[in-house]
Amino acid sequence: MNLKSLFKICFLALFIVACKNEAKETPTETVEVTEAEFSYNVEEFADIKILRYQIPGWENLSLKEQKLVYYLTQAGLEGRDIMWDQNYRHNLKIRHALENIYTNYTGDKTTDNWKNFETFVKRVWFSNGIHHHYSNAKLKPAFDKDYLNELLSATNTTLEGEAFEVLFNDKDAKKVNQAKGIDNVLESAVNFYGPDVTNADVANFYKTKVSPDPEKPLSYGLNSQLVKENGELKERVYKSGGLYGAAIDKIISWLEKAQGVAENDAQGEALGLLIEYYKTGDLQTWDDYNVAWTAATEGNVDYINSFIEVYNDPLGYRGSYETIVQINDFDMSKKMAVLSENAQWFEDNSPLMDAHKKDSVVGVTYKVVNVAGEAGDASPSTPIGVNLPNANWIRAAVGSKSVSLGNIIGAYNNAGGSGRLKEFVHDEEELQLEEEYGQLADKLHTALHEVIGHASGQLNPGVGETKETLKTYASTLEEGRADLVGLYYLYDSKLQDLGLVEDWKKVGKAAYDGYIRNGLMTQLIRLDLGDDVEEAHMRNRQWVSSWAFEKGKADNVIEKVTKDGKTYFNINDYEKLHELFGQLLRETQRIKSEGDYAAVEALVEGYGVKVDQDIHAEVLERNKQFPSPPYSGFVNPVLVPELNDAGEITTIKVTQPSAFAEQMLHYSKDYNNLPDVN
């Protein structure tokens, strides 16, 4: 059934208001749907599936709360172009050219060349640039230079020089290159560093940076680009009047409106500090904001906004721009808050060395939330759980916020099929466990990963931040460590004692089956044959699974089985696998606590980078029968304000974009804030 027969297409008139920032123009075509007829699937192309998500609970918010959500989502979208430029220096120029062709070409659109061009544009949109959102490899167009030149000429579009040539040559092949034995900064195309800045330059530059309070180290490098000017290293700070200032001023304007409708004083204070941070770029203000934001736990609405995660920096200093606006899911948050309330029990009973355990786990809050809008590094490809802030000292002294994105997880679960699962499970028992307990196991693993995992453990006195001690391996070790916390406790009767599961062993078995199956086999569908594993989360799933497989060989804990010419990994002893996960958790925390670079290098390079080529080839061949792409992402709901004669918002409706391209073009038109960035 096509979209037109499923949905009523509503053409919404564009409106003009006296106050320019009270409401944005809406796209000219959106979809209004009832819950009963909601379709999660939008379209598929290349290795991507585009989905929709709903906003449960929207109608229960007051108008003031709806305004807060609207202003926060607008603030997020105003910074969208920042993420594009951070990803690669020519991205915005390339996007503008591709979009001009896409919207203005009137030639033959039935040819394979045009269809390949359309697909390429959509892949670029999805990745926020010309490098794959997950593998970091440069996207390869399935058309040649001559055809692109024809399109440029036919639409009077300019794209020349390096920005044109890079689409077809081998330069800037990896956005983030974390390979061993190379200069990772020089070999990464990400636009966090000038073209001649090296690993050594970065290390030497930040070696001289000393925080006013060594016990509360500032996040040096988080909100800047490091370049050389006349041979001297210099930071270009992201702030009003600085790098990305045009977009940041728009962000500030909407955040000021959000502060005006804050739900409480604590939330308003945090927003005020975020505004001040954007104005000044001051890293002490960033820490002050994170302390205030972490403490602001009351209210129905929360958000993530700024330069946060450092996965896109090969050395782990610089934060990518991202925003997520969230509405509390009260029912699920109440059920899952039990993890936060028992965080100290989990810490006390973990297999960590006593010296690496926290005496007092403070301020861990956990909520299930429903996303109302995302931008930057969180969109179109989105996480399913988040734990912030990232500063270790704030986690230890103040605490952290952990959220599970409930409606995103629900959309994933409601949009998929079971064919691929049936292909890779070892037997009927494994299939039944996954179908009955898999979703609950995933939900609990996310919760344990975010709430208990990231909040657990402590650094030894005098040991520096992990980005300094563990360098390019810091991110994958931290994610693997948090995964291991979740895995260790998923097979523990405590979950049943707390009322979170009815049969802890079955949930634990489903979790272990799924993790090993994914870590050793199914995640390989995301790689081209011959590729190493580069992405931090993929690396950690492989090194955790491969280490457990190898260390359990003597006891046949995980058995590699060949059946009808196909390979499977079957867990024979869940109790011993639980013990192995505990041993590895103890070791990963030791590595982090002691800053043991040699050990993390041996762990990640030995188990997490190289791929068994025979298994990889087999997995890719077996996966060919499934048309469903391996990656999914989302269009955002469109919040449409309705205004009275005075230009004041009277209500805000939730609609859905009718197509992926429509939303991308709308965003480029309305949030085109960095046309001249360089």
Side-chain angles (χ1 to χ4, degrees), residues 597-647:
Y597 180 81
V600 73
E601 180 183 46
L603 178 63
V604 177
E605 294 293 339
Y607 296 98
V609 176
K610 297 299 179 183
V611 177
D612 184 312
Q613 294 301 298
D614 291 336
I615 288 180
H616 193 184
E618 178 191 325
V619 167
L620 293 177
E621 184 61 33
R622 290 165 66 181
N623 189 61
K624 286 181 180 178
Q625 62 186 297
F626 306 111
S628 179
Y631 301 101
S632 295
F634 293 86
V635 287
N636 289 304
V638 182
L639 304 181
V640 184
E642 294 188 354
L643 312 176
N644 61 20
D645 292 341

Side-chain angles (χ1 to χ4, degrees), residues 73 112 155 183 233 274 384 389 418 508 525 531 539 541 653:
T73 56
D112 288 342
T155 55
D183 193 304
L233 289 165
L274 179 59
I384 59 173
S418 62
I525 66 176
D531 285 354
R539 277 188 170 186
R541 288 190 289 267
K653 289 185 176 181

Side-chain angles (χ1 to χ4, degrees), residues 463-479:
V463 173
E465 294 293 298
T466 53
K467 67 185 179 185
E468 299 164 354
T469 59
L470 306 183
K471 302 176 184 178
T472 58
Y473 302 112
S475 293
T476 191
L477 186 89
E478 175 59 20
E479 292 305 318

Side-chain angles (χ1 to χ4, degrees), residues 15 95 186 209 217 226 241 359 386 430 442 455 536 590 634:
F15 48 79
R95 191 189 79 197
L186 280 177
K209 300 289 185 181
L226 187 64
D359 293 331
V386 181
E430 186 178 335
D442 287 346
R590 184 199 68 78
F634 293 86

Side-chain angles (χ1 to χ4, degrees), residues 118-348:
E118 282 187 307
T119 297
F120 183 71
V121 175
K122 291 177 181 179
R123 295 185 76 190
V124 171
W125 279 330
F126 189 85
S127 296
N128 295 314
I130 66 168
H131 295 87
H132 194 279
H133 75 286
Y134 207 88
S135 74
N136 288 312
K138 190 165 62 175
L139 301 172
K140 298 177 180 178
F143 52 86
D144 60 22
K145 287 184 180 181
D146 291 341
Y147 184 67
L148 182 55
N149 275 319
E150 287 179 26
L151 297 178
L152 292 168
S153 177
T155 55
N156 196 29
T157 304
T158 300
L159 183 65
E160 54 193 9
E162 190 176 50
F164 177 91
E165 296 296 335
V166 76
L167 297 176
F168 302 98
N169 62 29
D170 295 328
K171 292 183 178 179
D172 296 329
K174 278 287 184 73
K175 182 175 77 174
V176 185
N177 193 334
Q178 293 191 317
K180 180 183 176 182
I182 66 168
D183 193 304
N184 304 97
V185 170
L186 280 177
E187 296 298 325
S188 296
V190 69
N191 194 25
F192 286 142
Y193 299 98
D196 50 355
V197 176
T198 67
N199 281 12
D201 288 330
V202 179
N204 291 332
F205 185 82
Y206 290 107
K207 191 183 297 181
T208 65
K209 300 289 185 181
V210 179
S211 297
D213 184 350
E215 298 299 315
K216 299 178 180 180
L218 299 177
S219 300
Y220 287 117
L222 186 70
N223 65 335
S224 66
Q225 182 189 61
L226 187 64
V227 299
K228 281 183 180 177
E229 292 185 2
N230 299 319
E232 182 179 352
L233 289 165
K234 177 182 178 181
E235 286 185 318
R236 303 175 71 198
V237 178
Y238 313 149
K239 65 176 182 175
S240 177
L243 186 57
Y244 304 138
I248 288 172
D249 286 342
K250 295 284 187 69
I251 296 170
I252 290 171
S253 178
W254 287 106
L255 289 178
E256 288 173 340
K257 287 186 171 296
Q259 187 182 25
V261 291
E263 297 177 272
N264 49 63
D265 290 343
Q267 189 182 71
E269 178 188 351
L271 282 166
L273 286 166
L274 179 59
I275 291 166
E276 182 66 16
Y277 171 62
Y278 272 127
K279 287 180 177 179
T280 64
D282 181 71
L283 291 172
Q284 182 60 62
T285 303
W286 171 246
D287 279 358
D288 294 343
Y289 159 70
N290 276 282
V291 170
W293 175 82
T294 302
T297 57
E298 301 299 322
N300 296 335
V301 178
D302 208 348
Y303 63 95
I304 293 162
N305 182 301
S306 198
F307 310 102
I308 300 172
E309 303 292 2
V310 297
Y311 301 115
N312 285 322
D313 181 349
L315 299 187
Y317 282 88
R318 321 199 108 69
S320 297
Y321 175 82
E322 71 171 314
T323 71
I324 304 175
V325 183
Q326 316 149 3
I327 299 170
N328 196 16
D329 182 328
F330 293 99
D331 181 55
M332 283 305 302
S333 292
K334 185 176 180 180
K335 291 178 181 177
M336 301 304 288
V338 66
L339 289 178
S340 302
E341 294 163 3
N342 287 273
Q344 192 63 54
W345 183 93
F346 288 105
E347 184 78 350
D348 293 342

